């Protein structure tokens, strides 16, 4: 067992939120077409409130802290917040589009001991990346920032979201990451907006594009193993947890709302009204999330993919049932293995039957 797995297991046993994700703003200097956030400011927490939340995180046992947005550097107190987080000994991951990072900011991040900087890059072609962010010159500035960060010895991850607008650019972005000395990740998932609006789902990459990723050894390693048929589901698998959301990790919005995960918008409390630890330990919503085991899932518990699916309970929740299947994850499991999922079969069975219209024969014309 790895040290990280041992740490996670101990946190789960003790009920400790090992990881926390805090968005300090939803404001952003880009307008990415697939973004799930409302970028208006509806009353962000103040610097003092955020620092208080960080203290409460530390008291609750949080160790891994992700600071993000929106674009976190839109807040003038961003570095003050990072500095305070580091003073509490958090391992800090910083998510940014990097447009506002110059040499001075890169040096500051290095001096503060930020563990990792994750930067979104959607294409190696400026016309494609900039079309997605809606900001001309954004790719050029982002790449310059990555060079600054790498020159300071910082670990950088280039995160690429696959969608229809950047189809075919995976290899180019991966090559750019290698050139810059950055790690590369690819996510083929587009999520609904936090308010439930699903219009952005039209941007999802199609099955053939996802299939090309799953058959690329540079992205998945051993393709034969990765795309192999799912292993038989046993009792141990059925007793397993759907994911770490609400168990060892959580998300807090710029307005103080607590959720199991950034992709799981089930409101569990608000740190402006209650202490974080009180929410973590006593929220009825979190208690419900924690009570669910794989065997309790509607449809998924009987699926052959149950032990290997990447099903996201947050995406399932936004489809109407946190215990139900996530259509996006069903599709990924099918594309990966070629085996139809129980969720896909259930949707097909519940689809309305086609309406048959009987057309009367044309009347016979007589002279």
């Amino acid at each position: 067992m790895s040290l990280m797995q041992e740490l996670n297991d101990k946190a789960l046993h003790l009920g400790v939120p090992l990881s926390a994700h805090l968005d300090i703003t939803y404001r952003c200097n880009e307008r990415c077409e697939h973004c799930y956030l409302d970028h208006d400011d509806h009353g962000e927490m103040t610097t003092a409130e955020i620092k208080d939340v960080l203290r409460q995180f530390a008291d609750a046992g949080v160790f891994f802290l992700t600071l993000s947005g929106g674009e976190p550097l839109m807040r003038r107190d961003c570095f003050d917040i990072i500095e305070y987080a580091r003073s509490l000994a958090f391992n800090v991951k910083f998510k940014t589009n990097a447009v506002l990072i110059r040499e001075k900011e890169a040096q500051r991040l290095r001096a503060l001991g930020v563990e990792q900087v994750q930067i979104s890059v959607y294409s190696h072609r400026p016309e494609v990346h900039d079309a997605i962010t809606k900001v001309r010159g954004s790719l050029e500035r982002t790449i310059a920032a990555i060079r600054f960060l790498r020159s300071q010895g910082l670990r950088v991850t280039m995160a690429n979201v696959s969608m229809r607008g950047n189809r075919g650019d995976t290899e180019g972005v991966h090559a750019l990451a290698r050139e810059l000395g950055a790690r590369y990740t690819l996510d083929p998932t587009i999520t609904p907006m936090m308010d439930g609006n699903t219009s952005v789902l039209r941007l999802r990459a199609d099955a053939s594009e996802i299939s090309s990723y799953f058959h690329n050894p540079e992205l998945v390693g051993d393709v034969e193993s990765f795309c192999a048929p799912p292993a038989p589901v046993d009792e141990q698998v059925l007793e397993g947890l759907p994911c770490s959301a609400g168990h060892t990790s959580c998300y807090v919005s710029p307005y103080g709302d607590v959720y199991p995960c950034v992709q799981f918008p089930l409101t569990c409390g608000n740190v402006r009204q209650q202490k974080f630890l009180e929410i973590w330990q006593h929220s009825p919503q979190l208690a419900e999330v924690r009570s669910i085991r794989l065997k309790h899932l509607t449809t998924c518990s009987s699926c052959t993919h149950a032990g290997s699916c990447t099903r996201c309970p947050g995406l399932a929740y936004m489809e109407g049932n946190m215990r139900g299947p996530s259509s996006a994850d069903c599709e990924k499991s099918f594309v990966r293995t070629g085996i139809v999922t129980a969720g896909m079969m259930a949707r097909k069975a519940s689809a309305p039957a086609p309406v048959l219209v009987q057309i009367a024969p044309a009347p016979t014309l007589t002279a």
Side-chain angles (χ1 to χ4, degrees):
M1 180 186 295
S2 69
L3 178 60
M4 193 64 219
Q5 183 62 54
E6 188 177 343
L7 192 60
N8 271 297
D9 289 349
K10 183 168 286 189
L12 181 63
H13 175 71
L14 296 174
V16 171
L18 184 62
S19 305
H21 179 148
L22 172 63
D23 280 346
I24 61 175
T25 183
Y26 283 160
R27 289 175 289 138
C28 193
N29 50 352
E30 294 183 334
R31 286 295 180 270
C32 297
E33 61 182 0
H34 62 289
C35 187
Y36 54 84
L37 298 175
D38 169 4
H39 294 304
D40 292 331
D41 181 358
H42 299 287
E44 297 170 356
M45 288 188 286
T46 64
T47 308
E49 285 178 311
I50 289 175
K51 288 183 175 181
D52 184 50
V53 171
L54 292 176
R55 278 194 299 271
Q56 292 183 54
F57 280 171
D59 291 341
V62 172
F63 179 66
F64 297 103
L65 174 69
T66 297
L67 292 174
S68 184
E71 172 47 55
L73 287 168
M74 293 289 286
R75 285 191 64 130
R76 296 188 180 191
D77 59 356
C78 182
F79 282 109
D80 188 22
I81 291 169
I82 297 172
E83 183 174 10
Y84 188 72
R86 290 293 298 131
S87 75
L88 295 171
F90 290 120
N91 176 294
V92 175
K93 178 179 181 180
F94 187 62
K95 290 188 175 183
T96 173
N97 58 39
V99 168
L100 298 175
I101 292 178
R102 301 290 190 271
E103 191 166 5
K104 178 182 176 182
E105 289 77 16
Q107 290 173 347
R108 187 82 190 279
L109 288 169
R110 178 71 183 93
L112 289 172
V114 169
E115 175 67 18
Q116 181 187 163
V117 182
Q118 179 174 308
I119 300 171
S120 298
V121 178
Y122 305 114
S123 175
H124 60 296
R125 296 182 290 162
E127 65 273 18
V128 175
H129 177 93
D130 295 358
I132 291 172
T133 65
K134 303 291 190 290
V135 176
R136 182 177 296 179
S138 57
L139 179 62
E140 180 181 357
R141 282 179 277 176
T142 294
I143 290 175
I146 293 172
R147 293 189 193 280
F148 286 138
L149 292 165
R150 291 297 297 133
S151 73
Q152 296 301 310
L154 280 155
R155 295 173 58 202
V156 176
T157 295
M158 282 172 48
N160 185 11
V161 177
S162 172
M163 61 192 99
R164 292 186 183 274
N166 60 5
R167 180 182 173 89
D169 284 3
T170 304
E171 292 294 339
V173 181
H174 198 178
L176 178 62
R178 286 193 294 266
E179 175 195 331
L180 296 171
R183 184 168 173 261
Y184 174 77
T185 64
L186 176 69
D187 186 356
T189 305
I190 300 291
T191 64
M193 295 188 70
M194 291 284 280
D195 63 5
N197 186 321
T198 60
S199 62
V200 294
L201 300 187
R202 72 188 188 282
L203 302 171
R204 279 179 173 170
D206 59 32
S208 63
E209 187 77 355
I210 296 173
S211 179
S212 71
Y213 309 148
F214 290 168
H215 289 83
N216 184 336
E218 290 198 358
L219 297 177
V220 303
D222 183 351
V223 172
E224 186 175 346
S225 174
F226 184 77
C227 296
V233 178
D234 58 24
E235 190 62 31
Q236 185 177 357
V237 170
L238 291 174
E239 289 291 340
L241 301 174
C243 79
S244 64
H247 293 274
T248 59
S249 64
C250 65
Y251 166 67
V252 178
S253 80
Y255 312 120
D257 292 311
V258 179
Y259 303 102
C261 171
V262 70
Q263 289 188 173
F264 198 161
L266 171 68
T267 307
C268 302
N270 188 288
V271 292
R272 282 172 157 168
Q273 300 164 4
Q274 295 173 274
K275 293 296 184 182
F276 171 75
L277 196 55
E278 181 183 344
I279 297 169
W280 179 257
Q281 293 178 338
H282 303 296
S283 161
Q285 293 83 6
L286 284 175
E288 181 182 6
V289 169
R290 290 170 187 152
S291 71
I292 300 172
R293 297 296 181 269
L294 190 54
K295 65 182 180 181
H296 300 137
L297 301 182
T298 307
T299 308
C300 299
S301 58
S302 62
C303 184
T304 57
H305 293 270
S308 59
C309 179
T310 58
R311 174 190 173 275
C312 171
L315 292 180
Y317 172 76
M318 285 193 272
E319 288 188 32
N321 182 5
M322 75 170 79
R323 291 174 174 80
S326 154
S327 58
D329 292 310
C330 280
E331 181 181 15
K332 284 188 284 185
S333 288
F334 171 63
V335 170
R336 181 170 54 83
T337 65
I339 297 174
V340 175
T341 70
M344 295 171 73
M345 290 189 284
R347 280 192 297 276
K348 184 177 181 180
S350 63
V355 177
L356 300 178
V357 179
Q358 187 171 4
I359 302 176
T364 303
L365 299 179
T366 57

